[in-house]
Amino acid sequence: MTDSAPHRHRVTLPGITLSYLEWPAPGEPVILLHGLADHAGVWASLGACLATGALSARGQRFHCLAPDLRGHGDSDKPTTGYQTDVMVADLNALLDSLGWESAHVVCHSWSAQIAAVWATQYPDRVRSLVFVDPFFIDRMPNWMGLTFPILYRVLPFLQTMGPFASYEAAEQVARGLKQYQGWTPHQQAVFHDSMERKPDGRWGSKFVVQARDGIFDDVRRVAGLTQPLTLPCLFLQPEKGLNRSEWQLTPYRRYLPNLQVHQIPGNHWPFLVEPTAFNQAVTEFLVRVTRQ
């Protein structure tokens, strides 16, 4: 197995067994946190790039790890336990199991809330933060709970939850979604690894309903940024992403005095639709902060 191919592991932590991908390499540790309804495989290109030093001018490498967060991918899917503080406890336990005191963190969409709370509550564990088109960073108003049934039907990352009569039927839907524009081999692999055949013979996402409902309930109760964080931070702003207006950056500029905003091509999933530009931006940031 080469450095660019990840190792799949499972680790039993207090109250949960998590599955994760690891790209071992000599270098500082990096944790890659996927967004809602995704899984560790979305980071395949970035993990390989950082582990091999492919885009670093001096070949600097990083030891990368990407967990399937609880309720996602091949990790356990308990009935309850999808609050932010539980997710943070999972991450602390994961680092402890690896013998890592801290790590750089790359977080996408919903996991930005988890990463921000993690860095706030445990500042010694997070060395730097890369926010990839974050979502849910502010606590959502309670009245928005009334809109959740509509969101469940229209949000692109929930469209493959199913059920579908066949894998082919699910793939037909996926091909029309923003995160799979181009239908590259990487995107095909990400989709394939996100699906499973259910006990009744139909197909659906490995992301489960109880996780969806628990997380959407939690984002009405928890704000990601509540006090200043002085660690180095990068905000990656895709040109067709969710955060296109300056007012959307207000909480980041307010609470992150060491913030860099960098515009990149692509949509809400730049690591899937524009991986080269995305990988370059993350690499340059991590190389810079590790040499400060």
Side-chain angles (χ1 to χ4, degrees), residues 111-130:
S111 69
Q113 181 198 58
I114 298 170
V117 172
W118 190 19
T120 300
Q121 295 181 348
Y122 300 93
D124 293 339
R125 306 229 74 163
V126 181
R127 302 184 189 186
S128 69
L129 279 171
V130 178

Side-chain angles (χ1 to χ4, degrees), residues 49-270:
C49 177
L50 293 176
T52 60
L55 294 179
S56 171
R58 299 182 183 178
Q60 184 171 344
R61 301 167 70 187
F62 296 88
H63 187 162
C64 297
L65 184 145
D68 291 335
L69 298 171
R70 61 168 57 213
H72 295 75
D74 294 329
S75 289
D76 282 356
K77 301 171 177 66
T79 304
T80 60
Y82 295 99
Q83 298 85 0
T84 295
D85 60 346
V86 177
M87 300 279 187
V88 168
D90 289 346
L91 293 172
N92 280 331
L94 179 59
L95 259 62
D96 290 342
S97 74
L98 298 165
W100 291 3
E101 292 184 1
S102 61
H104 302 279
V105 178
V106 178
C107 51
H108 173 237
S109 195
W110 153 74
S111 69
Q113 181 198 58
I114 298 170
V117 172
W118 190 19
T120 300
Q121 295 181 348
Y122 300 93
D124 293 339
R125 306 229 74 163
V126 181
R127 302 184 189 186
S128 69
L129 279 171
V130 178
F131 295 98
V132 184
D133 205 23
F135 193 35
F136 296 144
I137 200 68
D138 285 329
R139 184 175 62 187
M140 297 180 67
N142 283 331
W143 63 264
M144 287 199 68
L146 298 174
T147 70
F148 287 173
I150 299 174
L151 293 177
Y152 294 161
R153 294 195 299 270
V154 301
L155 290 174
F157 50 84
L158 298 179
Q159 296 307 295
T160 57
M161 288 194 71
F164 299 96
S166 66
Y167 178 85
E168 290 73 20
E171 182 182 287
Q172 188 63 34
V173 171
R175 284 172 175 266
L177 298 176
K178 294 179 179 179
Q179 60 267 48
Y180 300 121
Q181 286 180 0
W183 200 241
T184 65
H186 180 204
Q187 293 169 341
Q188 293 176 50
V190 167
F191 173 70
H192 179 272
D193 291 345
S194 73
M195 302 298 288
E196 64 183 1
R197 194 168 191 173
K198 303 297 182 178
D200 64 2
R202 295 185 294 178
W203 286 81
S205 173
K206 293 179 181 178
F207 178 60
V208 293
V209 170
Q210 64 265 31
R212 180 199 68 185
D213 294 348
I215 290 167
F216 269 84
D217 181 66
D218 186 66
V219 298
R220 292 186 298 162
R221 307 173 188 275
V222 178
L225 291 172
T226 56
Q227 62 188 62
L229 295 172
T230 58
L231 75 171
C233 295
L234 173 66
F235 189 111
L236 288 179
Q237 186 182 35
E239 60 184 355
K240 296 180 181 179
L242 301 178
N243 297 278
R244 305 187 199 182
S245 302
E246 184 60 28
W247 67 265
Q248 293 173 296
L249 302 183
T250 298
Y252 304 94
R253 298 196 187 281
R254 177 186 303 134
Y255 292 111
L256 306 175
N258 195 4
L259 174 68
Q260 173 189 351
V261 178
H262 184 71
Q263 295 182 344
I264 56 175
N267 58 31
H268 186 55
W269 294 268

Side-chain angles (χ1 to χ4, degrees), residues 22-62:
E22 181 180 19
W23 293 262
E28 295 196 17
V30 179
I31 296 287
L32 309 173
L33 302 180
H34 62 76
L36 192 65
D38 278 333
H39 59 88
V42 300
W43 301 117
S45 178
L46 178 63
C49 177
L50 293 176
T52 60
L55 294 179
S56 171
R58 299 182 183 178
Q60 184 171 344
R61 301 167 70 187
F62 296 88

